[in-house]
Amino acid sequence: MSLGRVSFRTLGCRVNSFETVALSDAAAARGLEIVGWGAGADLAVVNSCALTSLAEAKTRREIRVFARRNPKSPIAVVGCMAQTSPEALKSLPNVAWIVGNSDKMRLFDIIFPDGISRIPRGVPKSGPAVFSGKLPRGAENAPLLSSCGAILDDRMNLKIQDGCNNACSYCIIPRARGGPRSRDFDSVLSDARAMVLRGAREIVLTGINILKYSSARGGLADLLDELNAFPEILRLRIGSMEPADFNFDSLFERMADPSHKLMPHLHLSVQSLSDKVLRAMRRKYCTAEFLEMVSRARERCPGVSVGADIICGHPHEGAAEFEETKGRLVSSGLTYAHIFTFSPRPGTASAVMGGAVPVDERKRRADELRLVARSMRDNFVKSQIGACLTILLENRLSNGDYLGYTGNYVQTAVAMDKGEFRNRLVRARAVSIDDSGRLRAQFEDFADL
């Protein structure tokens, strides 16, 4: 018998997505029913983001939307905004608990201090209870449930690391999540086992600064090799990475090995291709180092897809620096890029830095760079036509095709006969590109037999 209905809303990064699954499992273990965000619920949990002012605005909007639809149901706001800006959340409707990253994983102990999982109605007259204290030194372990947890998506984020100490001038995350710390090796493997028992077939390792993963049992490459031995896992990927202070050759070796499940795909937070701007951002590498690493990836692992994040209009990005970034992007060897318009984040050095770029100019530059990035992506997708590609099937479209991703992360629609093929690994011949820029392929045979 359900003791109440709980709805979760996740904003922000892959780490938040993993933590929401862990919180959802903790709720299910107490006998609470998990319902979709659009459904009526007795309790909402909003896992907040504080990366940008826009992310905070989205967090506030989600709170107001839930409160309007469920006027008597309390809301727990957890995560980064709850850690960095708890005062900004106190006056929002229905907010009863504000729980930062310091206490996020004990949320249901906070809500149910007497151990009884009956959800309280309304909000205390005294206002929200706030828990946003000192961030932990060690990573918390909030293991996923293998038995009573819900079926998971095809591609699941697995948190292995938290925190960062890079102190980039535009970033609030060290204040929101603390310094770098790694999860215990065995705890990560335990969560991976829970994921595959619940249906996941592709695991994406994620963290705030994932390349700083380190444990007594080994580092990132050792962890990948342990996961590679899981027969149920069909694919491994790594989430967004920092370019500095890591020997990528160990990853290239595994991506190039057809017997290893690590896919040939990298996504790197480069942020600029101008050394002057990188210095203003307090990044710990230069453009030449980054471009050499991209070149080495393509040489060591033919067919690899290498993408990057780039911020347009950061302070000290003049016209010359922008043209430098644009020119280097064209010749970089990157296969795609995510372009962001710089938005000053209060509480960071960039927000008060000299050399600001006017807002309209920031947007114009970002639009210009997006055209370049789109052309790069289109050219890479076109280069796949005629190839026989291995694709993990995910969702079925209304026309009967299955959507999935190639190993080098190109979304593909595969024409299949009638039947249930979700989570199957297939080989398919790429034949064309549809109007949305998606690759289309014809099924040839199954690759997981």
Short mmCIF file of all heavy atoms in Angstrom, two decimals, residues 263-294:
data_model
loop_
_atom_site.label_atom_id
_atom_site.label_comp_id
_atom_site.label_asym_id
_atom_site.label_seq_id
_atom_site.Cartn_x
_atom_site.Cartn_y
_atom_site.Cartn_z
N MET A 263 32.92 3.32 -26.00
CA MET A 263 32.59 3.83 -27.33
C MET A 263 33.55 4.94 -27.76
O MET A 263 34.06 5.69 -26.93
CB MET A 263 31.15 4.35 -27.35
CG MET A 263 30.09 3.27 -27.15
SD MET A 263 30.02 2.07 -28.51
CE MET A 263 30.96 0.70 -27.82
N PRO A 264 33.78 5.07 -29.09
CA PRO A 264 34.70 6.10 -29.61
C PRO A 264 34.04 7.47 -29.67
O PRO A 264 33.68 7.98 -30.74
CB PRO A 264 35.03 5.57 -31.01
CG PRO A 264 33.80 4.80 -31.41
CD PRO A 264 33.28 4.18 -30.15
N HIS A 265 33.88 8.07 -28.52
CA HIS A 265 33.20 9.36 -28.42
C HIS A 265 33.74 10.12 -27.22
O HIS A 265 33.78 9.59 -26.10
CB HIS A 265 31.70 9.14 -28.27
CG HIS A 265 30.92 10.39 -27.94
ND1 HIS A 265 29.99 10.45 -26.94
CD2 HIS A 265 30.97 11.63 -28.49
CE1 HIS A 265 29.49 11.66 -26.88
NE2 HIS A 265 30.06 12.40 -27.81
N LEU A 266 34.16 11.37 -27.44
CA LEU A 266 34.64 12.25 -26.37
C LEU A 266 33.85 13.55 -26.42
O LEU A 266 33.58 14.08 -27.50
CB LEU A 266 36.12 12.59 -26.57
CG LEU A 266 37.15 11.47 -26.47
CD1 LEU A 266 38.47 11.96 -27.06
CD2 LEU A 266 37.35 11.04 -25.03
N HIS A 267 33.50 14.07 -25.24
CA HIS A 267 32.92 15.42 -25.17
C HIS A 267 33.74 16.22 -24.17
O HIS A 267 33.86 15.83 -23.00
CB HIS A 267 31.46 15.39 -24.76
CG HIS A 267 30.81 16.75 -24.86
ND1 HIS A 267 30.26 17.21 -26.03
CD2 HIS A 267 30.70 17.75 -23.96
CE1 HIS A 267 29.82 18.44 -25.84
NE2 HIS A 267 30.06 18.79 -24.60
N LEU A 268 34.29 17.34 -24.63
CA LEU A 268 35.28 18.08 -23.85
C LEU A 268 34.82 19.51 -23.60
O LEU A 268 34.34 20.20 -24.51
CB LEU A 268 36.62 18.10 -24.61
CG LEU A 268 37.16 16.69 -24.91
CD1 LEU A 268 38.14 16.72 -26.07
CD2 LEU A 268 37.82 16.10 -23.67
N SER A 269 35.00 19.96 -22.38
CA SER A 269 34.61 21.33 -22.02
C SER A 269 35.77 22.27 -22.30
O SER A 269 36.46 22.74 -21.39
CB SER A 269 34.22 21.39 -20.53
OG SER A 269 33.13 20.54 -20.27
N VAL A 270 36.00 22.58 -23.58
CA VAL A 270 37.15 23.42 -23.93
C VAL A 270 36.87 24.89 -23.64
O VAL A 270 37.74 25.64 -23.24
CB VAL A 270 37.56 23.20 -25.40
CG1 VAL A 270 36.46 23.58 -26.36
CG2 VAL A 270 38.84 23.96 -25.71
N GLN A 271 35.64 25.38 -23.89
CA GLN A 271 35.11 26.73 -23.56
C GLN A 271 35.61 27.85 -24.47
O GLN A 271 34.88 28.80 -24.70
CB GLN A 271 35.39 27.09 -22.09
CG GLN A 271 35.00 26.02 -21.09
CD GLN A 271 33.53 25.61 -21.13
OE1 GLN A 271 32.83 25.87 -22.10
NE2 GLN A 271 33.09 24.92 -20.11
N SER A 272 36.83 27.78 -24.99
CA SER A 272 37.30 28.80 -25.94
C SER A 272 38.49 28.24 -26.69
O SER A 272 39.19 27.34 -26.19
CB SER A 272 37.71 30.09 -25.22
OG SER A 272 38.21 31.05 -26.16
N LEU A 273 38.71 28.76 -27.89
CA LEU A 273 39.91 28.39 -28.63
C LEU A 273 40.81 29.60 -28.83
O LEU A 273 41.57 29.69 -29.79
CB LEU A 273 39.52 27.77 -29.98
CG LEU A 273 38.82 26.40 -29.87
CD1 LEU A 273 38.35 25.91 -31.23
CD2 LEU A 273 39.72 25.37 -29.20
N SER A 274 40.74 30.53 -27.87
CA SER A 274 41.64 31.68 -27.81
C SER A 274 42.41 31.61 -26.50
O SER A 274 41.81 31.53 -25.42
CB SER A 274 40.85 32.99 -27.86
OG SER A 274 41.64 34.08 -27.39
N ASP A 275 43.74 31.65 -26.56
CA ASP A 275 44.53 31.55 -25.33
C ASP A 275 44.29 32.72 -24.39
O ASP A 275 44.29 32.56 -23.16
CB ASP A 275 46.03 31.47 -25.68
CG ASP A 275 46.40 30.12 -26.27
OD1 ASP A 275 45.64 29.15 -26.05
OD2 ASP A 275 47.44 30.03 -26.96
N LYS A 276 44.05 33.92 -24.95
CA LYS A 276 43.77 35.07 -24.10
C LYS A 276 42.50 34.86 -23.29
O LYS A 276 42.44 35.16 -22.10
CB LYS A 276 43.65 36.34 -24.96
CG LYS A 276 43.35 37.60 -24.14
CD LYS A 276 43.23 38.83 -25.04
CE LYS A 276 42.87 40.06 -24.21
NZ LYS A 276 42.73 41.27 -25.10
N VAL A 277 41.47 34.34 -23.94
CA VAL A 277 40.21 34.09 -23.24
C VAL A 277 40.36 32.95 -22.24
O VAL A 277 39.83 32.99 -21.13
CB VAL A 277 39.08 33.81 -24.25
CG1 VAL A 277 37.78 33.49 -23.53
CG2 VAL A 277 38.90 35.00 -25.18
N LEU A 278 41.09 31.91 -22.61
CA LEU A 278 41.32 30.80 -21.68
C LEU A 278 42.00 31.29 -20.41
O LEU A 278 41.68 30.84 -19.29
CB LEU A 278 42.16 29.71 -22.34
CG LEU A 278 41.46 28.89 -23.43
CD1 LEU A 278 42.44 27.91 -24.07
CD2 LEU A 278 40.27 28.12 -22.86
N ARG A 279 42.94 32.23 -20.55
CA ARG A 279 43.61 32.78 -19.36
C ARG A 279 42.61 33.56 -18.51
O ARG A 279 42.62 33.47 -17.28
CB ARG A 279 44.79 33.66 -19.76
CG ARG A 279 45.99 32.89 -20.28
CD ARG A 279 47.22 33.77 -20.39
NE ARG A 279 47.07 34.82 -21.40
CZ ARG A 279 47.37 34.68 -22.68
NH1 ARG A 279 47.84 33.51 -23.14
NH2 ARG A 279 47.22 35.68 -23.53
N ALA A 280 41.73 34.34 -19.16
CA ALA A 280 40.72 35.09 -18.41
C ALA A 280 39.75 34.15 -17.70
O ALA A 280 39.24 34.45 -16.61
CB ALA A 280 39.95 36.02 -19.35
N MET A 281 39.50 33.00 -18.30
CA MET A 281 38.63 32.00 -17.69
C MET A 281 39.32 31.19 -16.59
O MET A 281 38.68 30.41 -15.90
CB MET A 281 38.14 31.03 -18.78
CG MET A 281 37.18 31.63 -19.78
SD MET A 281 36.77 30.36 -21.05
CE MET A 281 35.35 31.13 -21.84
N ARG A 282 40.65 31.35 -16.48
CA ARG A 282 41.47 30.58 -15.54
C ARG A 282 41.47 29.09 -15.89
O ARG A 282 41.50 28.23 -15.01
CB ARG A 282 41.01 30.77 -14.09
CG ARG A 282 41.08 32.20 -13.59
CD ARG A 282 40.58 32.27 -12.16
NE ARG A 282 40.47 33.65 -11.69
CZ ARG A 282 39.80 34.00 -10.59
NH1 ARG A 282 39.20 33.09 -9.84
NH2 ARG A 282 39.74 35.26 -10.22
N ARG A 283 41.46 28.81 -17.17
CA ARG A 283 41.57 27.42 -17.61
C ARG A 283 43.04 26.99 -17.58
O ARG A 283 43.94 27.82 -17.70
CB ARG A 283 41.00 27.27 -19.01
CG ARG A 283 39.56 27.72 -19.15
CD ARG A 283 38.60 26.84 -18.39
NE ARG A 283 38.29 25.63 -19.14
CZ ARG A 283 37.59 24.61 -18.65
NH1 ARG A 283 37.20 24.62 -17.39
NH2 ARG A 283 37.34 23.56 -19.40
N LYS A 284 43.29 25.71 -17.45
CA LYS A 284 44.64 25.22 -17.16
C LYS A 284 45.28 24.52 -18.35
O LYS A 284 45.98 23.52 -18.21
CB LYS A 284 44.59 24.27 -15.96
CG LYS A 284 44.10 24.97 -14.68
CD LYS A 284 44.06 24.03 -13.50
CE LYS A 284 43.60 24.77 -12.25
NZ LYS A 284 43.54 23.87 -11.06
N TYR A 285 45.04 25.04 -19.55
CA TYR A 285 45.63 24.48 -20.75
C TYR A 285 45.63 25.58 -21.80
O TYR A 285 44.98 26.62 -21.64
CB TYR A 285 44.83 23.27 -21.26
CG TYR A 285 43.37 23.55 -21.39
CD1 TYR A 285 42.83 24.11 -22.55
CD2 TYR A 285 42.51 23.32 -20.32
CE1 TYR A 285 41.48 24.41 -22.64
CE2 TYR A 285 41.16 23.61 -20.41
CZ TYR A 285 40.65 24.16 -21.56
OH TYR A 285 39.32 24.47 -21.64
N CYS A 286 46.36 25.36 -22.87
CA CYS A 286 46.35 26.31 -23.98
C CYS A 286 45.71 25.64 -25.19
O CYS A 286 45.53 24.41 -25.23
CB CYS A 286 47.75 26.81 -24.30
SG CYS A 286 48.85 25.55 -24.96
N THR A 287 45.40 26.43 -26.19
CA THR A 287 44.71 25.93 -27.37
C THR A 287 45.53 24.86 -28.08
O THR A 287 44.98 23.84 -28.52
CB THR A 287 44.42 27.09 -28.34
OG1 THR A 287 43.65 28.07 -27.67
CG2 THR A 287 43.67 26.60 -29.55
N ALA A 288 46.84 25.07 -28.19
CA ALA A 288 47.69 24.11 -28.90
C ALA A 288 47.62 22.74 -28.25
O ALA A 288 47.59 21.71 -28.95
CB ALA A 288 49.13 24.62 -28.96
N GLU A 289 47.61 22.70 -26.93
CA GLU A 289 47.53 21.42 -26.21
C GLU A 289 46.21 20.71 -26.51
O GLU A 289 46.17 19.49 -26.73
CB GLU A 289 47.68 21.64 -24.71
CG GLU A 289 49.07 22.10 -24.30
CD GLU A 289 49.14 22.59 -22.86
OE1 GLU A 289 48.08 23.02 -22.32
OE2 GLU A 289 50.24 22.55 -22.28
N PHE A 290 45.14 21.48 -26.51
CA PHE A 290 43.84 20.89 -26.77
C PHE A 290 43.76 20.35 -28.19
O PHE A 290 43.33 19.21 -28.42
CB PHE A 290 42.74 21.92 -26.55
CG PHE A 290 41.39 21.45 -26.98
CD1 PHE A 290 40.66 20.54 -26.22
CD2 PHE A 290 40.83 21.88 -28.19
CE1 PHE A 290 39.42 20.08 -26.64
CE2 PHE A 290 39.59 21.44 -28.61
CZ PHE A 290 38.88 20.53 -27.82
N LEU A 291 44.17 21.14 -29.17
CA LEU A 291 44.07 20.73 -30.56
C LEU A 291 44.97 19.53 -30.84
O LEU A 291 44.62 18.65 -31.65
CB LEU A 291 44.43 21.89 -31.49
CG LEU A 291 43.45 23.07 -31.46
CD1 LEU A 291 43.95 24.21 -32.33
CD2 LEU A 291 42.05 22.64 -31.90
N GLU A 292 46.13 19.45 -30.18
CA GLU A 292 47.01 18.29 -30.35
C GLU A 292 46.34 17.03 -29.83
O GLU A 292 46.46 15.95 -30.42
CB GLU A 292 48.33 18.55 -29.61
CG GLU A 292 49.44 17.57 -29.95
CD GLU A 292 49.36 16.26 -29.16
OE1 GLU A 292 48.85 16.29 -28.02
OE2 GLU A 292 49.79 15.21 -29.70
N MET A 293 45.62 17.16 -28.72
CA MET A 293 44.92 16.01 -28.16
C MET A 293 43.81 15.53 -29.09
O MET A 293 43.62 14.34 -29.28
CB MET A 293 44.36 16.38 -26.79
CG MET A 293 43.79 15.19 -26.01
SD MET A 293 42.07 14.93 -26.36
CE MET A 293 41.38 16.34 -25.51
N VAL A 294 43.07 16.47 -29.70
CA VAL A 294 42.03 16.09 -30.66
C VAL A 294 42.65 15.36 -31.85
O VAL A 294 42.14 14.33 -32.30
CB VAL A 294 41.25 17.34 -31.13
CG1 VAL A 294 40.27 16.96 -32.24
CG2 VAL A 294 40.51 17.98 -29.98
#
